[in-house]
Amino acid sequence: NMFPLIQRCCFHTSFKLPKLTGARLLLRGKNVTTWSSLGPQPQRAVCPLSRFPNLKPASVYASQLQAFHTSLPVFKKKTPPESETEAQKPKESLKDAPKPALYLSLAGLIPFVSVPLVMAIQGTYYPEVAFAQVTCGAAMVSFLGGMRWGFALPENSPAKPDWLNLGNSIVLPLLAWQALLFRDITQGAVMLVLALGIALHYDIALLPDYPRWFKILRVWGTVVMVLSLLATLSLKLYYD
């Protein structure tokens, strides 16, 4: 007999009590007291646990615990930022270069490499051959400057025909012209090395609108041309 009484006292009435606050709770307490003195259900007024409005039934705690243990956290798939997506893309290399551009660029390096190679094989320094190498280098630097105009002038080009793109391209032909004006081959070769470095800086850092394969090709081509000019100067100093 006590267990149904405790169950009805602690669990049945607690669902209604949290909804009552303030004066309503006091009024209901009075009504329950008067009703218990007159009516046939005195056990509701006798139970001390029914006086706490914040008391929750054990079934509510059980459901919360069950939800706490059984609910799995929802992990949203994070979208990687643009920098990570660009890093995940396959990068271009020299294999992606068009065959005509790759073969013509390699053929343009033959005059630079052959001059110091022939001098080293013959064991003699030839001023006319060294001047031919400087002349070829001046033509190459002028071509790199004019190529920027051809890249920036089309309407759908990513490079704009502004002072930065077109004005800096004029600097390279001027340096090439100055290299041909020197009577000494050493001064002309040094001027060409400076012009090739400026052209590479334009294409890689200052005006980075070319494809990646072309940038790689420009780096390797500039390294070969500069080393060939320095090799010619070294042979001149050695044999003279």
Side-chain angles (χ1 to χ4, degrees):
N1 295 329
M2 292 299 294
F3 181 77
L5 178 62
I6 295 174
Q7 185 179 7
R8 287 163 55 187
C9 179
C10 297
F11 295 96
H12 182 72
T13 59
S14 57
F15 287 99
K16 299 179 180 180
L17 287 177
K19 299 180 181 179
L20 303 176
T21 58
R24 282 180 158 183
L25 185 59
L26 295 175
L27 181 59
R28 182 174 176 83
K30 292 180 180 180
N31 294 335
V32 171
T33 306
T34 55
W35 178 256
S36 61
S37 61
L38 297 175
Q41 294 182 352
Q43 61 274 15
R44 292 188 181 180
V46 175
C47 182
L49 296 177
S50 62
R51 298 178 183 177
F52 297 93
N54 295 326
L55 185 62
K56 293 183 180 180
S59 59
V60 177
Y61 287 107
S63 61
Q64 290 180 356
L65 289 174
Q66 185 178 4
F68 176 78
H69 288 289
T70 57
S71 61
L72 296 176
V74 179
F75 295 99
K76 295 183 179 180
K77 188 177 181 181
K78 297 182 180 180
T79 56
E82 296 181 357
S83 60
E84 294 183 2
T85 55
E86 293 179 359
Q88 294 175 358
K89 293 181 180 179
K91 295 182 178 180
E92 297 180 353
S93 60
L94 287 179
K95 297 179 180 179
D96 301 324
K99 299 302 181 181
L102 181 60
Y103 294 154
L104 290 175
S105 298
L106 294 177
L109 298 176
I110 295 177
F112 289 92
V113 179
S114 61
V115 170
L117 184 61
V118 170
M119 290 183 183
I121 294 174
Q122 296 293 330
T124 307
Y125 172 74
Y126 299 101
E128 297 81 5
V129 179
F131 180 76
Q133 185 187 28
V134 172
T135 304
C136 181
M140 188 66 68
V141 171
S142 300
F143 170 75
L144 293 176
M147 183 176 57
R148 194 68 197 183
W149 277 61
F151 184 73
L153 290 180
E155 296 181 356
N156 57 352
S157 176
K160 297 180 180 180
D162 52 6
W163 288 100
L164 182 64
N165 290 326
L166 301 182
N168 289 326
S169 300
I170 300 298
V171 177
L172 299 178
L174 292 177
L175 293 177
W177 174 56
Q178 183 64 36
L180 295 177
L181 294 179
F182 289 115
R183 294 183 179 180
D184 190 5
I185 299 298
T186 303
Q187 296 177 355
V190 172
M191 181 60 70
L192 284 180
V193 170
L194 178 63
L196 289 172
I198 294 175
L200 184 63
H201 174 68
Y202 285 168
D203 296 338
I204 301 301
L206 186 60
L207 307 172
D209 293 326
Y210 290 127
R212 179 178 173 80
W213 63 263
F214 182 75
K215 293 180 181 180
I216 299 174
L217 189 62
R218 286 283 294 107
V219 171
W220 285 106
T222 302
V223 170
V224 172
M225 288 187 288
V226 170
L227 292 179
S228 299
L229 290 171
L230 294 179
T232 302
L233 295 180
S234 300
L235 292 175
K236 177 187 177 183
L237 295 176
Y238 179 75
Y239 289 115
D240 286 348

